[in-house]
Amino acid sequence: MLLGYSEEQLKERKGYATAKEINQQPKVWRELFNILLNQKREIAEFLNPILQLKDLKIILTGAGTSAFVGYSSEGYLRKMLGQDVEAIDTTDIVASPENFFFKDKPTLLISHGRSGDSPESVATIELAEKIIKDVYFLNITCNKNGKMAKSTIDKKNSLNIFMPEESNDEGFAMTSSFTCMLLTDLMLPHIEEIESKKDLFEKLAKEAERIIEEEASIVEEISKIDYDRLIYLGSGNLKGCAAEAALKSLELSRGEVNTNFNTPLGFRHGPKSVINDKTLLGFFVSNNPYTQKYDLDLIKEIANEPGQRKLMAFLPEDLQIDGIDYIFKLRQDFTNVEEAFLTPLYIIYAQMLAFYKSLNLGITPDNPNPEGRVNRVVKGVIIYEYV
């Protein structure tokens, strides 16, 4: 059984790949740890000289979910490396490269890609080589045969880190590919002492297994609520989690659920107008005591307002909050774990909700757009020569 369904049922409803890929995440995280352990010397020898460069700029990039990997790791990497780190979508770079690439500014481009075949991913690397005098490429991808990896292989200024093969998701929506690439990002500051992170990987994997085993049925019940607006909110590193969570439901519902994301503080500045009686709101609550105050303030505010909207809260610990319709609490102690590491766990709830809602709407999760309006790997993009 996968997420409460037999393999036969899932294949009949064209949801087997997506269910399998959500369910396999604890397994592939353990595989990822061993990959990073085995490649640690190569990664460290590549990164260490680059990180010593004066005035270095680190750009985290990708498109869609691959961009949201950078959104989710940007703050943590900036803090841990003490470097100028910025997440910028390849779709922004390709359209206006002169806004982001500067000839005399040493740059490390960390590219993320499930397939590595998105035209913008390859074009971003080519533009960086053309514009920046001192540029380096770290490709984090799930596809050894992708164009992104092949375009830089054997180049001294480049390194590829390949995710577990199973993380090259066959389903339309990225799930295990997202969490593997994110965990790789989060390990970069610790690569020389990666052995010390084995317990953290195991803790995350065990908590993920519990979430899938114990709480999938509750998430499925929530998916049956008559909502057509879904808003996810997260502060700090969890804003990236909110972005990815919103995209999952938008993709798998084929847009029938209108989704958005924001920070709790930002939501008050206009976007809060979206709330009506068919709105479901999900709050990813930080374990940072300071940041958490802002998360809880907005939850309490909306919980005390009139209306039939429904509220979900995803909590790192046992917090007493009134007025919430659905509360999910991590069972292990994540109090002293950096906030960014909550995303791989919190996102599983959002992945499952998107999957179940898709089934409830009669949509096929593995390919919600069979008519080809939107594709697993984007098509139809013309890359123009930059002069």
Side-chain angles (χ1 to χ4, degrees):
M1 299 288 285
L2 291 173
L3 303 184
Y5 292 85
S6 69
E7 182 176 336
E8 182 180 353
Q9 288 173 314
L10 289 168
K11 287 183 175 178
E12 182 180 342
R13 301 180 71 174
K14 295 181 172 60
Y16 176 70
T18 305
K20 177 176 73 71
E21 286 150 7
I22 292 172
N23 188 77
Q24 74 183 9
Q25 288 174 103
K27 174 178 176 288
V28 294
W29 295 351
R30 291 181 173 109
E31 292 176 15
L32 173 64
F33 174 80
N34 289 324
I35 288 171
L36 295 175
L37 179 64
N38 291 332
Q39 200 178 353
K40 79 166 193 173
R41 177 172 293 182
E42 184 183 19
I43 297 170
E45 289 178 353
F46 175 76
L47 283 180
N48 287 342
I50 299 171
L51 295 176
Q52 301 304 314
L53 293 173
K54 184 180 179 182
D55 200 29
L56 177 69
K57 173 78 173 182
I58 300 175
I59 294 176
L60 307 168
T61 195
T65 289
S66 295
F68 298 155
V69 173
Y71 287 23
S72 302
S73 63
E74 172 189 29
Y76 181 77
L77 292 178
R78 188 185 300 118
K79 174 182 174 181
M80 299 304 296
L81 295 174
Q83 298 275 8
D84 179 9
V85 180
E86 185 177 6
I88 308 170
D89 299 46
T90 56
T91 48
D92 289 338
I93 293 171
V94 169
S96 302
E98 67 278 2
N99 289 350
F100 309 105
F101 291 161
F102 303 98
K103 178 182 178 181
D104 295 319
K105 192 173 189 66
T107 301
L108 170 62
L109 188 74
I110 302 180
S111 297
H112 307 92
R114 171 173 64 177
S115 69
D117 286 328
S118 295
E120 299 95 339
S121 296
V122 178
T124 294
I125 291 171
E126 291 174 351
L127 286 164
E129 286 184 307
K130 183 176 287 189
I131 297 171
I132 307 168
K133 184 169 60 177
D134 194 7
V135 63
Y136 306 87
F137 302 100
L138 178 61
N139 300 320
I140 298 173
T141 178
C142 307
N143 184 11
K144 293 180 179 180
N145 298 311
K147 294 176 184 176
M148 186 171 78
K150 287 184 175 180
S151 70
T152 55
I153 200 163
D154 294 330
K155 291 185 178 180
K156 290 184 178 180
N157 66 336
S158 307
L159 179 67
N160 293 310
I161 305 177
F162 296 116
M163 302 296 94
E165 288 188 15
E166 285 181 283
S167 70
N168 189 7
D169 303 318
E170 295 176 8
F172 176 83
M174 292 171 62
T175 52
S176 60
S177 52
F178 170 78
T179 53
C180 280
M181 289 191 287
L182 173 56
L183 285 169
T184 301
D185 270 13
L186 299 180
M187 285 298 106
L188 294 178
H190 313 290
I191 196 65
E192 290 188 283
E193 66 272 6
I194 186 73
E195 295 90 345
S196 67
K197 299 300 179 182
K198 184 174 183 178
D199 288 347
L200 175 58
F201 267 76
E202 188 59 29
K203 186 174 187 175
L204 290 168
K206 286 183 176 178
E207 187 69 16
E209 287 168 341
R210 184 201 64 78
I211 290 169
I212 293 167
E213 181 179 345
E214 297 180 7
E215 302 192 298
S217 60
I218 304 170
V219 175
E220 184 173 20
E221 286 304 308
I222 297 173
S223 75
K224 296 174 183 177
I225 298 170
D226 184 23
Y227 64 88
D228 59 16
R229 298 183 183 187
L230 174 56
I231 312 299
Y232 282 108
L233 300 160
S235 298
N237 295 297
L238 295 175
K239 182 180 179 181
C241 184
E244 170 59 9
L247 180 61
K248 286 289 87 66
S249 277
L250 187 70
E251 289 177 323
L252 293 187
S253 73
R254 205 166 55 207
E256 290 191 34
V257 177
N258 192 345
T259 68
N260 214 321
F261 72 96
N262 214 307
T263 62
L265 285 174
F267 192 57
R268 290 191 183 91
H269 290 261
K272 192 181 173 191
S273 306
V274 74
I275 299 176
N276 65 10
D277 287 347
K278 297 185 74 174
T279 302
L280 176 64
L281 295 104
F283 298 86
F284 297 123
V285 178
S286 175
N287 62 351
N288 181 305
Y290 178 78
T291 305
Q292 191 180 96
K293 296 177 191 293
Y294 294 103
D295 298 339
L296 299 182
D297 278 354
L298 184 67
I299 294 174
K300 292 170 185 175
E301 178 180 311
I302 296 177
N304 288 319
E305 292 174 345
Q308 300 303 309
R309 75 287 169 280
K310 299 294 184 181
L311 307 182
M312 302 181 292
F314 305 93
L315 308 176
E317 56 190 297
D318 190 9
L319 300 170
Q320 184 60 44
I321 312 174
D322 297 325
I324 303 297
D325 300 285
Y326 306 99
I327 292 180
F328 297 95
K329 301 174 185 176
L330 301 181
R331 296 293 186 264
Q332 296 186 67
D333 183 9
F334 285 89
T335 307
N336 296 317
V337 174
E338 286 283 343
E339 171 191 81
F341 290 96
L342 300 181
T343 290
L345 299 175
Y346 283 166
I347 200 63
I348 290 175
Y349 291 105
Q351 292 170 349
M352 292 193 298
L353 182 61
F355 169 77
Y356 289 128
K357 191 65 171 179
S358 183
L359 291 180
N360 293 338
L361 292 170
I363 295 169
T364 53
D366 290 348
N367 185 14
N369 295 280
E371 71 284 355
R373 183 162 47 94
V374 184
N375 301 284
R376 178 179 176 273
V377 179
V378 70
K379 297 179 180 179
V381 178
I382 300 172
I383 302 296
Y384 296 97
E385 185 178 358
Y386 179 79
V387 181

